Amino acid sequence: MSINIAIDGPAGAGKSTIAKLVAKKKGYIYVDTGAMYRAMALYLYRQGIDVQAEDAAEQIARICNRPQISIRYENGEQIVLLDGENVNGLIRTEEVSRMASISSAVPLVRARLVQLQQQLAAETDVVMDGRDIGTVVLPGADVKVYLTASVEERARRRYQENLDKGLACNLEEIKADIAERDHRDMTRETSPLKQAEDAVMIDSSDMTIEQVAEAILKLTEEMSR
């Protein structure tokens, strides 16, 4: 029986970084949901969907249930599979990005991806992060974590990341952007961001990446007792 770890939380809380580290330490698959959406976009692009067409959403809805999309690891590398084909080198193009921005807003695409993510989680041990993993995608996950941090700390982290990349930025603007995104994520009509009732909240404001990972690993150990 597979073990599932769900990590939810607001933007900038470090979910992906932590999820990848926990998955590595446990030997589980980190499910890159964004890569799965891009694989779907590649499939739609290959089917000749015209994103400029007035009925693009309808075209997408008609065929989005056809492809099989999954993730596995080979020699430590994450492999995204589209109908059995390794598409790692094909899902970061401008054309696929454009298609993904359109297709991800189609409800039936989301429903299909959630189905595929649930299928993957049923077959193997996974760590999955997002906004609604513990509430919608994997409501029966063995370990659920709501990872958060103060708006100020999340803004400071992003500000520092931008400085390290040599990008000009304003801390107050970043802070305002994060607060606005929190509100948008928490009040959206479909799958709003919220802490699952049985999720453990971890505030990483004053914690290192390793400390957060160890806290989650401890939860998995307690689960197995």
Side-chain angles (χ1 to χ4, degrees), residues 51-225:
V51 296
Q52 301 299 327
E54 290 185 4
D55 66 340
E58 288 78 6
Q59 291 182 51
I60 290 169
R62 281 196 294 269
I63 65 174
C64 65
N65 278 329
R66 297 177 186 174
Q68 281 292 329
I69 299 168
S70 189
I71 291 175
R72 72 168 183 241
Y73 279 80
E74 293 181 358
N75 301 319
E77 179 187 9
Q78 177 182 275
I79 305 296
V80 183
L81 299 172
L82 171 59
D83 291 328
E85 175 191 358
N86 178 348
V87 294
N88 276 20
L90 304 172
I91 60 175
R92 305 293 174 182
T93 66
E94 184 177 339
E95 293 81 6
V96 169
S97 296
R98 190 179 305 118
M99 179 64 75
S101 69
I102 300 297
S103 61
S104 61
V106 177
L108 284 178
V109 168
R110 174 171 175 73
R112 176 57 173 161
L113 266 298
V114 168
Q115 179 187 45
L116 291 169
Q117 290 156 10
Q118 291 173 334
Q119 179 181 314
L120 180 59
E123 296 170 350
T124 188
D125 301 330
V126 302
V127 181
M128 201 179 301
D129 69 283
R131 305 284 192 280
D132 62 351
I133 307 302
T135 55
V136 176
V137 182
L138 300 178
D142 302 275
V143 174
K144 295 182 186 179
V145 171
Y146 188 83
L147 181 63
T148 189
S150 67
V151 171
E152 290 75 16
E153 176 58 21
R154 285 183 282 144
R156 186 198 65 76
R157 292 173 184 173
R158 183 171 298 173
Y159 177 75
Q160 188 59 52
E161 287 174 3
N162 287 341
L163 289 183
D164 292 342
K165 295 176 182 177
L167 302 175
C169 56
N170 180 282
L171 181 59
E172 291 304 315
E173 289 180 0
I174 293 174
K175 191 183 301 183
D177 178 66
I178 287 176
E180 180 182 348
R181 185 168 179 180
D182 284 354
H183 177 74
R184 187 167 62 247
D185 286 344
M186 292 175 180
T187 59
R188 67 188 182 191
E189 187 173 339
T190 303
S191 301
L193 169 65
K194 62 181 179 179
Q195 181 180 348
E197 291 184 1
D198 53 347
V200 176
M201 178 182 284
I202 297 178
D203 188 328
S204 68
S205 298
D206 299 313
M207 300 173 70
T208 66
I209 292 172
E210 282 289 345
Q211 287 173 332
V212 175
E214 287 304 318
I216 295 175
L217 291 171
K218 185 176 180 180
L219 290 175
T220 67
E221 294 168 2
E222 293 173 350
M223 170 206 69
S224 62
R225 290 174 185 168

Side-chain angles (χ1 to χ4, degrees), residues 6-22:
I7 303 176
D8 290 310
K15 298 183 300 297
S16 295
T17 299
I18 297 300
K20 290 174 184 177
L21 182 56
V22 170

